RNA sequence: GGGCGAAUAGCUCAGUGGGAGAGCACCUGCCUUACAAGCAGGGGGUCCGGCGUUCAAAUCGCCGUUCGCCCA
């Protein structure tokens, strides 16, 4: 074969071609590996709201690394892809779109609106898929799902009806977080709290039938319109006598009672608080305890209700200003202080939420949370890193009922129907008549379910549930879930309790948690800041492998990372390094046919095979514990630091030399190591590794004669192939070469100018160094090596590198600057003596000898001896030089 | 108010009980028949501060400082 690869890797020319090849061959399809253990991941379904961002790129790359690695290990891998309808988010997008034509959703009507939403979904679904293809993910596309497809929708109904029948779903009046802009209730965790400078308004409430007044403080004076009590602490001596009496609500001229409740903090403000059950969660709870009236002062549009006299219809902020002005005018305003407090905002549109009492559907959480707490405590589902367990448990243990109805149109419509006779019908199939009165005038609930309701079923609904499908049997529970820490409570927690309730099993054994991808300055990437980086742009410019490698190496489990152009370039350089190392091998293979490793291997071969064996072990072990960044780094170091910097350089002597047998042996090892390296690399950089692999010669007797790297075997670590002898010898050889390079660099010798060196070396080491002489000469730009025995006189006019086992001299008659060399050796002596002192002190400590593990003590002793020899050599040399000076 | 995380080279970050690391940046010398997106060499650290546990702490515990996040 003729190989003529360009010197610079061009990802754009190979990636699409290779992805299509993989798809054609159906490599990503699960099944067909009977008898193999399954390894399953369900994708965190991206929202069809828009396109993918860097966070998605990271999330999917991690999953793809795991899946490709397990596939190569021989597992029956299933990575199930899909997308999420993302209720409020998508609805908002479609509404924005309509607004450009001057239309509201009410103008077009529910049916037409949903058509638009489906169109939106189709468009973005296609784009998301394109992006995932570009990233190179190996999902089983034949099993792709959507949260609103037929099967998932059936699962949603099944779950709703079942929970309703078991009394775990109920409908009730409750204080919910209302977004006046999205015009819907949202769950507690969809509210973002933000500290904001605000004011604390102190208002006087005059006594009724008693002399005096009570001052209450509030951050939201406009809610006073709906006050139905003033509360004090029962033990508070200032107010004890007033409990049970009444005050007059200013502006409204309504009498309201003074009540006592433990909840009131007597040390805050005046120790008395106004109670607005309709507009504050704590007040609502207190109102329930005391049977207080609920007076709505603010309506669903964020405006004052019609019952509130002159304020009726005013926007809540305008009303606040007006009310404060009126209070002041009428003498009820005590004072206004500056104050900072947390204000709830809608996660989707950032509007300040308004707590409102309304009729909503809820999931009763306590019975569901218990088992979900247990499985995590028992370690049946594990969070990685472990610290996220605590956040999960804290949330689960303090959980409140989950408001699941949303007053929007895009989503799963609540399967409840109302009959004029008062009957409520909750059913899997649309009812045609009322079971109570036989009436046919049934109205379905207009609300839809919270998006997370369907996502909570994702691990089993996507596998066919409620049908007992083969896939469900085989692939559930899934093996791992890969997700960002920001959706542990939204999604992970809910999948766990839903799965335990309906499947009686955990949904996944391990949750690998990753962090956020931030911009180069560490800020969150966001549309409003305009600091987002489109993964596709990076792929177009540098290739998917580069993007993947950047994200993976920049990542430590559970930690945020910054996306920096420098790191992208570093990854790009690495892929080019791989490309060129492969070019070198391919250019020199000739008509080589792989037939396994040669029978006789030399020291260099044994050393690189030992290194490869070690990096195989390390990479595999790191992947096992989800340390993907470390695993990728291990491969990087091996490729660049061992294979390229040393083995390839050493191999040049053979390949550019004369001996045919040597050439063949060298080719075989280069081939073997390169091929194995590509396999280690493949999960991280699937495209470049596959592309090069496809260029490698193959033969039928080759042990890895698969048709694609993507389905070849993951390298196996073999302990019997470790070669400590070769390793040790090569370490010495490399140390000698580095020492010579270092000396040459001290005097600024350019590579082209070769120099003689002198070794003063024990006879035991002479065979090794004489055997390696040609390589030392080549790699250290040496022209001639003289071997001296230890008895021989040392060269005088020379720089010295004093290793603990031998001495290396660079003779430079007349060139050497004695003063400089003395200074240099003096610095080295100082460092050596410092280390020696530390080691000596350690060994002198009887506690250390007694309590430290024997191998550590042994190591320390060896170190001390080594340093001793080195110290003697340096000081000896210094004495000689000083004599000459 | 409660919880969690971060603090290590100029920058960005790995490292979690046994001799301080990487990438980038910087300095020096090099186009060396794979690669200048490269090669060789080098400088650079109070591992935030303090106390403790231990034979041994960047690593474990406690206290504090600064920053970030989550929850109430």
């Amino acid at each position: 074969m003729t190989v003529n690869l360009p010197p610079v890797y061009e990802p754009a020319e190979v990636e699409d071609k290779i992805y299509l090849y993989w798809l054609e061959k159906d490599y990503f399809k699960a099944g067909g590996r009977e008898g193999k253990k399954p390894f399953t991941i369900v994708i965190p379904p991206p929202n069809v709201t828009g396109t993918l961002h860097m966070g998605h790129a990271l999330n999917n790359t991690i999953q793809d690394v795991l899946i490709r690695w397990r596939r190569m290990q021989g597992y029956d891998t299933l990575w199930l892809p899909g997308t999420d309808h993302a209720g409020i988010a998508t609805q908002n997008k479609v509404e924005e779109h309509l607004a450009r034509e001057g239309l509201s959703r009410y103008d077009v009507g529910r049916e037409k609106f949903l058509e638009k939403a489906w169109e939106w979904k189709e468009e973005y679904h296609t784009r998301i898929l394109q992006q995932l293809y570009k990233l190179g993910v190996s999902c089983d596309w034949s099993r792709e799902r959507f949260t609103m497809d037929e099967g998932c929708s059936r699962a949603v109904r099944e779950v709703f009806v079942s929970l309703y029948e078991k009394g775990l779903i109920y409908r009730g009046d409750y204080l919910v977080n209302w977004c006046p802009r999205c015009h819907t209730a949202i769950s507690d965790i969809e509210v973002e709290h933000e500290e904001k400078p605000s004011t604390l308004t102190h208002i006087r409430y005059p006594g009724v039938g008693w002399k005096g007044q009570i001052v209450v403080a509030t951050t939201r004076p406009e809610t006073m319109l709906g006050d139905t009590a003033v509360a004090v602490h029962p033990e508070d001596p200032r107010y004890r006598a007033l409990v049970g009496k009444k005050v007059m609500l200013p502006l409204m001229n309504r009498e309201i009672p003074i009540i006592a409740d433990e909840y009131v903090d007597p040390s805050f403000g005046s120790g008395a608080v106004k109670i607005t059950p309709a507009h504050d969660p704590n007040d609502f709870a207190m109102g329930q305890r005391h049977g207080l009236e609920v007076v709505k002062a603010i309506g669903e549009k964020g405006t004052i209700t019609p019952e509130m006299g002159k304020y009726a219809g005013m926007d809540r902020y305008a009303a606040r200003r007006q009310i404060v002005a009126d209070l002041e005018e009428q003498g009820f305003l005590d004072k206004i202080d500056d104050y900072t407090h947390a204000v709830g905002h809608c996660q989707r549109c950032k509007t300040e939420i308004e707590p409102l009492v309304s009729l909503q559907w809820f999931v009763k959480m306590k019975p569901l949370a218990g088992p979900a707490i247990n499985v995590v405590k028992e370690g049946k589902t594990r969070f990685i890193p472990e610290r996220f367990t605590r956040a999960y448990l804290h949330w689960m243990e303090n959980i409140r009922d989950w408001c699941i109805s949303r007053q929007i149109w895009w989503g799963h419509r609540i399967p409840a129907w109302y009959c004029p006779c008062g009957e409520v019908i909750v059913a899997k199939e649309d009812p045609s008549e009322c079971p109570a009165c036989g009436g046919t005038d049934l109205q379905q609930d207009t609300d839809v379910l919270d998006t997370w309701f369907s996502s909570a079923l994702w691990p089993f609904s996507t596998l066919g549930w409620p049908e007992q499908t083969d896939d469900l049997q085989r692939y559930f529970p899934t093996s791992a879930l890969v997700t960002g820490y920001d959706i542990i409570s939204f999604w992970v927690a809910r999948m766990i309790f839903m799965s335990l309730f309906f499947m009686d099993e955990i949904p996944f054994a391990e949750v690998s948690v990753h962090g956020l991808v931030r911009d180069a300055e560490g800020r969150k990437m966001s549309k409003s800041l305009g600091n987002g980086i489109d993964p596709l742009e990076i792929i177009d410019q540098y290739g998917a492998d580069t993007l993947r490698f950047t994200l993976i190496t920049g990542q430590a489990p559970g930690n945020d990372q910054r996306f920096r152009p420098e790191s992208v370039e570093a990854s790009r350089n690495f892929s080019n390094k791989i490309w060129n190392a492969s070019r070198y091998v391919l250019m020199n293979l000739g008509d080589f046919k792989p037939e396994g490793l040669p029978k006789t291997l030399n020291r260099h071969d044994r050393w690189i095979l030992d290194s490869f064996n070690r990096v195989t072990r390390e990479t595999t072990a790191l992947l096992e514990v989800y340390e993907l960044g470390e695993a990728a780094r291990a491969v990087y170091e091996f490729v660049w630091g061992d294979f390229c910097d040393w083995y390839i350089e050493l191999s040049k002597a053979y390949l550019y030399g004369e001996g045919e047998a040597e050439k063949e042996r060298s080719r075989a090892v280069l081939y073997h190591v390169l091929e194995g390296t590509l396999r280690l690399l493949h999960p991280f950089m699937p495209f470049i590794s596959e592309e090069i692999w496809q260029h490698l010669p193959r033969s039928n007797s080759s042990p890895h004669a698969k048709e694609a790297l993507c389905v070849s075997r993951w390298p196996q670590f073999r302990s019997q192939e470790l070669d400590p002898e070769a390793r040790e010898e090569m370490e010495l050889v490399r140390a000698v070469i580095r020492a010579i390079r270092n000396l040459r660099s001290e005097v600024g010798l350019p590579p082209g100018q070769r120099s003689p060196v002198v070794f003063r070396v024990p006879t035991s080491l002479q065979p090794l160094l004489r055997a390696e002489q040609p390589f030392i000469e080549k790699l250290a730009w040496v022209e001639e090596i003289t071997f001296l025995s230890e008895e021989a006189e040392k060269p005088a006019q020379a720089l010295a590198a004093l290793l603990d086992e031998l001495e290396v001299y660079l003779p430079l008659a007349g060139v050497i600057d004695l003063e400089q060399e003395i200074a240099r050796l003096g610095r080295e002596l100082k460092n050596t003596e410092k280390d020696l002192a530390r080691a000596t002190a350690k060994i002198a400590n009887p506690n250390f000898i007694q309590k430290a593990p024997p191998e550590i003590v042994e190591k320390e002793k060896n170190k001390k001896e080594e340093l001793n020899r080195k110290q003697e050599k340096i000081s000896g040399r210094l004495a000689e030089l000083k004599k000459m000076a």
Side-chain angles (χ1 to χ4, degrees), chain A residues 151-166 169 415 426-429 449 453 457 460 465-467 501-502:
Chain A
C152 288
S153 301
R154 208 147 46 111
V156 163
R157 272 211 180 184
E158 181 79 26
V159 165
F160 188 96
V161 173
S162 173
L163 288 175
Y164 179 80
E165 285 170 353
K166 293 185 169 90
I169 281 185
V426 170
K428 288 178 208 169
E429 305 298 334
L449 287 163
F453 193 89
L457 320 178
F460 46 97
W465 191 89
E467 301 296 318
F501 193 81
F502 286 97

Side-chain angles (χ1 to χ4, degrees), chain A residues 596-617 638 642-643 646-648 650 665-677 679-680 704 715-727 730:
Chain A
L597 278 174
K599 286 187 188 67
T600 53
L601 296 166
N602 68 23
R603 188 178 296 114
H604 305 153
D605 304 331
R606 286 161 54 211
W607 169 77
I608 195 68
L609 291 170
D610 174 83
S611 301
F612 176 71
N613 210 11
R614 283 164 185 277
V615 74
T616 297
R617 174 173 62 182
F638 169 76
D642 290 344
F643 188 57
W646 290 98
Y647 189 74
I648 284 185
L650 289 164
R665 185 198 40 71
S666 192
R667 282 172 184 152
V669 178
L670 279 167
Y671 174 89
H672 179 88
V673 176
L674 175 63
E675 198 274 344
T677 301
R679 284 187 281 150
L680 284 183
H704 6 80
Q716 293 281 306
F717 167 68
R718 298 178 209 285
S719 56
Q720 67 274 21
E721 285 177 18
L722 285 177
D723 197 333
E725 188 190 44
R727 183 163 196 79
M730 283 308 293

Side-chain angles (χ1 to χ4, degrees), chain A residues 12 21 34 104 108 116 130 168 325 339 389 396 404 409 413 415 614 651 662 680 718 738 874:
Chain A
Y21 170 73
E34 270 56 6
S104 79
V108 296
K116 293 267 179 205
Q130 290 301 324
L168 292 170
Y339 186 67
T389 309
M396 269 299 192
I404 50 169
W409 292 343
R413 197 153 168 187
R614 283 164 185 277
S651 77
E662 290 283 81
L680 284 183
R718 298 178 209 285
R738 282 200 210 98
I874 298 173

